[in-house]
């Protein structure tokens, strides 16, 4: 009849967590298809590494568990097939998967961990329900083999709870992955919103955007410096230790804050576009007037020429035409007047002092008219 010790050797106490773990392992091993279940030990160990916080183990304890798993020769963790004759004589579960390394060998495979540290982490693995102690009467770890060389009984650490909790560990690991993915997305969102806020505030300050007083979370803000102070207050709440709930709340507040700033900038852009459209309309009317004036005639009839040469043009029209009349002037004076009109039109299109040229031409025409009058 096989015996399965359930209490630790020496002065180590038995805890309720140990009793619960042993009961779960016993229930799992009693199932008819328990021996058919195979678990890849290194995949399970990776999942356990991701789910170490909800399981309640540390990274140093996982190093000890990794060393224990290395003493199991097979890659798959499976329960041994129970003998039908043994089942008829004893209704207790089978021996399970027991590894029995010494503390010295276990310390070497745990990268030289100190004996006291090793014992402490072994105890934490037992409390977490990942392994079960199967201590011998004197506390030594060994195995007894039968005539065929097969292990009949072993004293050490039973890895059966890893198989029994494989599905639970995988589910916990998946939840941790989903949580980490959500937290990573929230941190990306916060980083992008913070960058947008800083650059929008800088743009508002540099471009002199007109600020309309706003109220955010009961706080009245009247200028861009106040907005930047509000941003600093929100950014101070961001830290690496902030959980998913805190990150979601902070991301929502930052997004609403960024929307208010963007609204201010968009309002300013719309006002600028409206002012630009009005200015373009005014210039369009002025150009139409100039084109209309240019179609009426050249020379003195041109609006620009009248403005620049109004003194000379008025004198020629008033003195030559009024005193002598265009038809009564001699041919050489009429030609000179026509030539003067042509030169004035040319001077309006070219460079130089147009007003000075017009005055000189007017004086010449006046002199010719006086000579004509004396004659």
């Amino acid at each position: 009849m096989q015996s399965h010790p359930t209490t630790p050797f020496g002065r180590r106490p038995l805890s309720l967590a140990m009793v619960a773990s042993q009961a779960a392992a016993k229930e799992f091993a009693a199932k008819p298809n328990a021996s058919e279940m195979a678990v890849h030990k290194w995949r399970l160990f990776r999942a356990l590494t991701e789910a170490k916080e909800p399981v309640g183990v540390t990274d140093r304890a996982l190093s000890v568990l990794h060393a224990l798993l290395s003493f199991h020769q097979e890659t798959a963790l499976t329960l041994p097939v129970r003998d039908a004759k043994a089942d008829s004589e004893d209704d207790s579960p089978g021996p399970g998967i027991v590894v029995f390394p010494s503390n010295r060998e276990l310390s070497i495979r745990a990268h030289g961990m100190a004996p006291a540290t090793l014992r402490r982490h072994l105890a934490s693995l037992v409390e977490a329900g990942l392994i079960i102690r199967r201590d011998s009467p004197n506390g030594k770890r060994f195995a007894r083999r039968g005539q065929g060389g097969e292990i009949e009984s072993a004293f050490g650490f039973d890895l059966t709870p890893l198989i029994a909790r494989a599905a639970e560990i995988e589910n916990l690991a998946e939840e941790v992955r989903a949580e980490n993915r959500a937290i990573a997305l929230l941190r990306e969102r916060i980083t992008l919103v913070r960058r947008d806020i800083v650059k929008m505030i800088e743009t508002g300050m540099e471009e002199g955007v007109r600020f309309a007083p706003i109220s955010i979370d009961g706080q009245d803000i009247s200028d861009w410096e106040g907005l930047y102070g509000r941003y600093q207050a929100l950014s101070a709440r961001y830290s690496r230790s902030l959980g998913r709930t805190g990150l979601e709340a902070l991301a929502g507040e930052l997004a609403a804050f960024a929307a208010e700033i963007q609204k201010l900038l968009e309002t300013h852009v719309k006002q600028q576009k409206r002012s630009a459209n009005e200015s373009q309309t005014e210039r369009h009317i002025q150009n139409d007037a100039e084109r209309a004036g240019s179609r009426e005639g050249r020379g003195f009839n041109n609006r620009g020429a009248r403005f620049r040469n109004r003194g000379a043009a008025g004198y020629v029209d008033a003195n030559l035409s009024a005193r002598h009349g265009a038809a009564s002037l001699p041919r050489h004076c009429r030609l000179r007047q026509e030539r003067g009109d042509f030169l004035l039109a040319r001077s309006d299109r070219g460079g130089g002092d147009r007003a000075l040229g017009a005055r000189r031409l007017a004086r010449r025409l006046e002199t010719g008219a006086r000579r004509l009058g004396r004659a």
Side-chain angles (χ1 to χ4, degrees):
M1 179 178 177
Q2 296 179 353
S3 61
H4 300 278
T6 57
T7 57
F9 171 78
R11 291 180 292 181
R12 288 191 293 267
L14 176 67
S15 64
L16 294 179
M18 294 180 187
V19 174
S21 177
Q22 292 173 9
K26 182 178 179 180
E27 182 180 359
F28 172 77
K31 293 181 180 179
N33 56 350
S35 59
E36 298 177 1
M37 183 175 180
V39 178
H40 195 289
K41 63 180 182 181
W42 299 127
R43 292 177 184 173
L44 180 63
F45 180 79
R46 178 181 178 84
L48 185 58
T49 302
E50 294 177 335
K52 63 181 181 180
E53 291 185 1
V55 172
V57 292
T58 62
D59 51 350
R60 299 297 300 277
L62 289 176
S63 298
V64 176
L65 180 61
H66 187 279
L68 287 173
L69 289 173
S70 67
F71 284 101
H72 182 67
Q73 296 180 356
E74 303 294 334
T75 303
L77 296 177
T78 56
L79 293 177
V81 179
R82 297 183 61 182
D83 189 3
K85 183 179 179 180
D87 290 344
S88 60
E89 297 178 356
D90 186 11
D91 59 352
S92 62
I97 307 174
V98 180
V99 292
F100 39 89
S102 64
N103 282 349
R104 183 174 180 275
E105 291 296 328
L106 190 58
S107 176
I108 292 174
R109 295 200 185 185
H111 311 289
M113 187 177 294
T117 306
L118 180 66
R119 290 192 295 269
R120 185 171 68 253
H121 290 307
L122 283 172
S124 66
L125 290 174
V126 173
E127 288 291 331
L130 297 177
I131 60 175
I132 299 175
R133 285 186 179 273
R134 304 294 187 189
D135 289 345
S136 64
N138 59 1
K140 299 294 184 179
R141 301 175 195 141
F142 60 92
R144 287 197 178 95
R145 299 181 181 272
Q147 294 180 355
E150 297 180 356
I151 297 178
E152 292 183 349
S153 62
F155 299 96
F157 299 102
D158 192 354
L159 304 179
T160 303
L162 291 177
I163 306 176
R165 300 182 61 183
E168 175 192 353
I169 293 172
E170 289 289 346
N171 293 335
L172 290 175
E174 184 61 32
E175 292 178 2
V176 171
R177 293 188 202 107
E179 184 76 9
N180 292 337
R181 191 182 303 113
I183 290 176
L185 292 176
L186 284 172
R187 292 189 183 279
E188 289 179 2
R189 179 184 172 189
I190 289 174
T191 300
L192 293 175
V193 175
R194 290 176 65 189
R195 184 184 66 189
D196 292 345
I197 290 174
V198 171
K199 290 186 179 293
M200 286 191 294
I201 292 177
E202 290 177 354
T203 301
M205 290 181 175
E206 293 174 0
E207 299 293 336
V209 177
R210 185 176 180 182
F211 192 91
I214 57 177
S215 179
I216 301 177
D217 295 337
Q219 180 182 0
D220 295 332
I221 301 176
S222 58
D223 53 10
W224 290 103
E225 287 77 8
L227 278 180
Y228 188 72
R230 172 63 179 170
Y231 162 73
Q232 287 181 325
L234 289 175
S235 296
R237 293 166 47 188
Y238 181 70
S239 64
R240 301 302 301 179
S241 60
L242 201 61
R244 181 176 179 179
T245 304
L247 290 174
E248 289 177 348
L250 181 59
E253 293 184 23
L254 286 173
F257 186 59
E260 292 291 337
I261 301 176
Q262 188 174 5
K263 188 184 299 182
L264 291 174
L265 297 180
E266 289 177 353
T267 302
H268 180 75
V269 171
K270 290 179 181 178
Q271 291 177 354
Q272 281 188 333
K273 187 180 296 184
R274 191 180 303 111
S275 300
N277 291 337
E278 293 175 357
S279 300
Q280 290 175 2
T281 303
E282 292 172 359
R283 289 195 295 271
H284 182 70
I285 294 173
Q286 183 178 358
N287 292 337
D288 288 344
E290 291 180 359
R291 285 196 296 271
S294 64
R295 287 194 297 269
E296 293 175 0
R298 295 288 182 180
F300 293 111
N301 293 328
N302 185 274
R303 180 184 178 188
R306 289 200 308 270
F307 178 78
R308 289 185 291 271
N309 307 318
R310 58 182 179 271
Y315 185 84
V316 172
D317 291 341
N319 289 278
L320 294 181
S321 300
R323 291 173 58 184
H324 304 284
S328 62
L329 289 175
R331 181 173 180 276
H332 68 277
C333 291
R334 292 199 303 271
L335 292 176
R336 189 175 295 176
Q337 183 180 11
E338 293 174 358
R339 185 182 180 187
D341 293 342
F342 175 74
L343 291 176
L344 282 175
R346 290 291 300 273
S347 67
D348 182 60
R349 291 195 299 271
D353 193 350
R354 301 182 180 88
L356 180 60
R359 287 195 296 271
R360 288 176 181 175
L361 180 60
R363 284 197 298 269
R364 290 179 184 179
L365 293 176
E366 183 183 1
T367 302
R370 285 198 299 269
R371 290 175 182 177
L372 182 62
R374 287 197 297 270

